[in-house]
Amino acid sequence: MTTFDYIVAGAGSAGCVLANRLSADPRVSVLLLEAGGVDRHPLLRIPKGSGMLFENEKYMWHYATTPFGPDQHSEQWMRGKVLGGSSSVNGLIYNRGHRPDYDGLEQLGNKGWGWDDLLPIFKSFEDNEFGASPTRGIGGPLHISVPKDPEPLCEEMLDAATRAGLTRVQDINESDDERVGYATSTIRDGRRVSAATAFLKPALGRPNLTVATRTVVHRILIENGRATGLRVHGPRGAADVHGRNIIVSLGSLNSPRLLQLSGIGPREVLRAAGVPVVLERENVGRRMREHRCATVRYRLNADLGYNKMISTSLGQALTGMKYLATRRGPLGAPSFDIVGFAKVRAESDRVDGQIMMGPYSLPPYNKDGEPVRIEREPGLSCLGMALRPTSEGSVEITGSSPDAALRIEPNYLTSPEDRATTAALLRRMRAIFEQSPIAERISHETYPGPDVHSDSDLVDSALLGGYCGYHAIGTCAMGPGDDDVVDDRMRVRGIENLQVIDCSVLPVMVAGNLNGPIMAIAARAAELILGD
């Protein structure tokens, strides 16, 4: 029977980094498990191409939430099911968060997770096209760039944003102040750079690294309070794999799910699902925080922007031909061309809202699960999210089978702070589009509409017609307390040789998009593991 030194469950943003960093030591053996397949589909290379795979269950996990909002509708949360995980299908925006976010982790009692610990990690794997600086890295495997030939409307939106009080910057990660600029993204020469591209593929030739795809983890094997392996189901059926150290890197939905299926979690949840209690841990699956993206959409008074290029068969064909010839155009850009950060509440001590703008528009959110399509009529979209939500949701299993549905309670915008920040942010977003030169391009606001003004109506508009940020955290949160699921070495309290290393360990939200921070957290965790 083969026993690996490390078994990593999940080949997403965290798992790919862990596989790379741990297998760099030739003395140890590493097994990486991934439920999805290899990332060979050509659409996974095209930055906006992954959108055409969102409904494909071969490449995506789909989870339905419980009903929420004024109309009590459910929505689907999606995650990547392929090597690279969600980094292979995401919007590619690369934010690192702000210094106080990481220093705040340390102040909560998590030693070794301050900004001075994480900045060298970021710099070590970055290859920033703007060159090296005290806070930027070059020469690493993760290429960072900005759009090469943005639509002219982007310059007009940037000009309007500066008139609305934001400072234009070249690199949005070079400052923690109010700012706006082109979105930094994980794109190299018009092609996606996923965690699999940057970290896993360079390590695949190592004899001490084994990668098993299409292998679903069903349960953690636990003997006498010690994790000894995993029960999996792969192409050859069910099997047990054994390891001296088990690392769960399945994300904020599937990591708590696996722990609960293995008998680690809230007693009442496990009993209701018919799972024997191995270790009662009240906060497994609890304390989840997620960004709710509020939106403002506008109709343009001329046929400008991306809608005409990507909403019709002819436009898509021409745009596709341009991309294939030049690696440029809308298909070669991140989800949003422009990113800004603003302080929207006077009582906030730092930037508290993120703004993302693009020269295209989506129709109102479809609550029936149908794919979202680009509108044909020309438009602009602006999304915003309260950076550090305090509202808490939960994830619970509903049965003992790995195929049983998850119960996901988003609990978006239930705290007074989140509601006030979201309303203030929507007003700041509108203020940008009231400025020249973009104001002269606008015919009218299509959502939420000119009659929506009060705080409660603005918040309702975010719940009714907004979007999930796909940045869930906290369901296996780290901290110094006995009730925290993992400690600051990400070891599961009460079970030896078991760690959770992914976005679920964050006790509070790191400001911005999470792909970059999770790669850094995994690299830092690997550093600590090898050091220990």
Side-chain angles (χ1 to χ4, degrees), residues 192-209:
R192 175 186 294 272
V193 182
S194 68
T197 304
F199 296 100
L200 181 58
K201 290 179 181 177
L204 287 179
R206 297 171 183 168
N208 61 332
L209 173 62

Side-chain angles (χ1 to χ4, degrees), residues 232 266 280 303 357 363 435 483:
V232 302
E280 184 175 5
D303 201 3
M357 296 182 277
Q435 309 298 319
D483 61 340

Side-chain angles (χ1 to χ4, degrees), residues 255-334:
S255 284
R257 176 190 219 169
L258 180 61
L259 264 61
Q260 291 177 10
L261 287 172
S262 306
I264 305 169
R267 181 176 296 273
E268 69 276 14
V269 173
L270 302 184
R271 284 181 170 174
V275 174
V277 178
V278 174
L279 177 67
E280 184 175 5
R281 303 297 292 158
E282 186 65 26
N283 284 322
V284 172
R286 305 278 169 78
R287 304 196 291 185
M288 181 180 73
R289 303 186 187 193
E290 174 61 286
H291 284 135
R292 183 63 181 178
C293 293
T295 183
V296 182
R297 295 188 286 268
Y298 296 94
R299 181 71 63 232
L300 295 172
N301 54 26
D303 201 3
L304 304 171
Y306 291 160
N307 283 13
K308 62 181 178 181
M309 304 180 195
I310 51 181
S311 64
T312 65
S313 298
L314 177 59
Q316 290 169 1
L318 294 174
T319 302
M321 291 172 61
K322 177 180 179 180
Y323 174 80
L324 292 175
T326 66
R327 296 285 190 265
R328 297 192 175 192
L331 295 181

Side-chain angles (χ1 to χ4, degrees), residues 71-129:
D71 61 347
Q72 286 294 285
H73 74 274
S74 177
E75 69 182 4
Q76 281 200 346
W77 287 9
M78 297 181 290
R79 296 294 189 272
K81 185 182 178 184
V82 63
L83 287 179
S86 293
S87 75
S88 291
V89 297
N90 68 359
L92 299 128
I93 294 176
Y94 179 78
N95 294 340
R96 298 188 303 203
H98 298 156
R99 171 184 282 273
D101 297 327
Y102 298 96
D103 290 344
L105 290 178
E106 195 156 54
Q107 290 160 11
L108 288 173
N110 302 296
K111 296 179 181 178
W113 293 96
W115 178 244
D116 291 338
D117 300 298
L118 270 296
L119 177 58
I121 299 288
F122 280 112
K123 292 177 66 177
S124 72
F125 61 61
E126 289 177 349
D127 182 30
N128 195 304
E129 69 174 10

Side-chain angles (χ1 to χ4, degrees), residues 123-408:
K123 292 177 66 177
S124 72
F125 61 61
E126 289 177 349
D127 182 30
N128 195 304
E129 69 174 10
F130 293 130
S133 79
T135 60
R136 260 200 314 259
I138 59 170
L142 190 72
H143 192 76
I144 312 299
S145 65
V146 297
K148 292 294 182 290
D149 61 340
E151 224 281 339
L153 284 172
C154 291
E155 280 295 318
E156 296 186 10
M157 285 189 282
L158 283 168
D159 288 346
T162 61
R163 295 189 181 199
L166 301 182
T167 300
R168 182 168 178 176
V169 295
Q170 180 189 54
D171 182 351
I172 58 170
N173 286 304
E174 282 282 88
S175 168
D176 288 350
D177 299 325
E178 288 196 305
R179 61 202 188 276
V180 68
Y182 283 112
T184 47
S185 56
T186 51
I187 297 174
R188 183 185 184 94
D189 297 329
R191 296 174 72 86
R192 175 186 294 272
V193 182
S194 68
T197 304
F199 296 100
L200 181 58
K201 290 179 181 177
L204 287 179
R206 297 171 183 168
N208 61 332
L209 173 62
T210 302
V211 179
T213 57
R214 306 206 179 283
T215 302
V216 180
V217 180
H218 283 187
R219 186 162 61 84
I220 302 166
L221 303 177
I222 301 171
E223 298 178 10
N224 300 318
R226 179 189 299 267
T228 61
L230 297 170
R231 178 151 298 160
V232 302
H233 194 281
R236 297 183 180 179
D240 290 347
V241 293
H242 297 274
R244 298 180 179 87
N245 299 278
I246 309 303
I247 301 174
V248 179
S249 298
L250 298 171
S252 282
L253 302 183
N254 278 327
S255 284
R257 176 190 219 169
L258 180 61
L259 264 61
Q260 291 177 10
L261 287 172
S262 306
I264 305 169
R267 181 176 296 273
E268 69 276 14
V269 173
L270 302 184
R271 284 181 170 174
V275 174
V277 178
V278 174
L279 177 67
E280 184 175 5
R281 303 297 292 158
E282 186 65 26
N283 284 322
V284 172
R286 305 278 169 78
R287 304 196 291 185
M288 181 180 73
R289 303 186 187 193
E290 174 61 286
H291 284 135
R292 183 63 181 178
C293 293
T295 183
V296 182
R297 295 188 286 268
Y298 296 94
R299 181 71 63 232
L300 295 172
N301 54 26
D303 201 3
L304 304 171
Y306 291 160
N307 283 13
K308 62 181 178 181
M309 304 180 195
I310 51 181
S311 64
T312 65
S313 298
L314 177 59
Q316 290 169 1
L318 294 174
T319 302
M321 291 172 61
K322 177 180 179 180
Y323 174 80
L324 292 175
T326 66
R327 296 285 190 265
R328 297 192 175 192
L331 295 181
S335 54
F336 286 89
D337 300 69
I338 296 169
V339 172
F341 293 88
K343 182 173 176 288
V344 299
R345 297 182 69 198
E347 56 267 46
S348 297
D349 59 357
R350 50 182 162 154
V351 164
D352 54 4
Q354 180 174 337
I355 298 168
M356 295 166 282
M357 296 182 277
Y360 64 90
S361 59
L362 301 171
Y365 182 78
N366 191 313
K367 301 177 179 64
D368 297 324
E370 292 297 319
V372 175
R373 305 297 186 192
I374 299 294
E375 293 180 318
R376 173 59 190 93
E377 295 300 311
L380 303 174
S381 289
C382 182
L383 263 61
M385 56 195 187
L387 278 174
R388 301 172 188 88
T390 57
S391 305
E392 294 187 351
S394 62
V395 176
E396 298 176 353
I397 57 172
T398 60
S400 59
S401 167
D403 297 326
L406 277 178
R407 181 183 296 111
I408 302 173

Side-chain angles (χ1 to χ4, degrees), residues 34-37 52-63 76 78-82 214 216:
E34 169 55 39
M52 300 180 187
L53 299 175
F54 281 178
E55 309 307 313
N56 190 329
E57 294 187 358
K58 181 178 179 181
Y59 297 101
M60 301 293 293
W61 297 103
H62 297 91
Y63 305 95
Q76 281 200 346
M78 297 181 290
R79 296 294 189 272
K81 185 182 178 184
V82 63
R214 306 206 179 283
V216 180

Side-chain angles (χ1 to χ4, degrees), residues 68 73 292-295 384 412-413 422 426 447-448 457-467:
F68 67 90
H73 74 274
R292 183 63 181 178
C293 293
T295 183
Y412 291 124
L413 307 184
T422 298
L426 275 162
Y447 191 86
D457 286 348
L458 288 168
V459 170
D460 282 352
S461 80
L463 294 170
L464 289 165
Y467 304 91

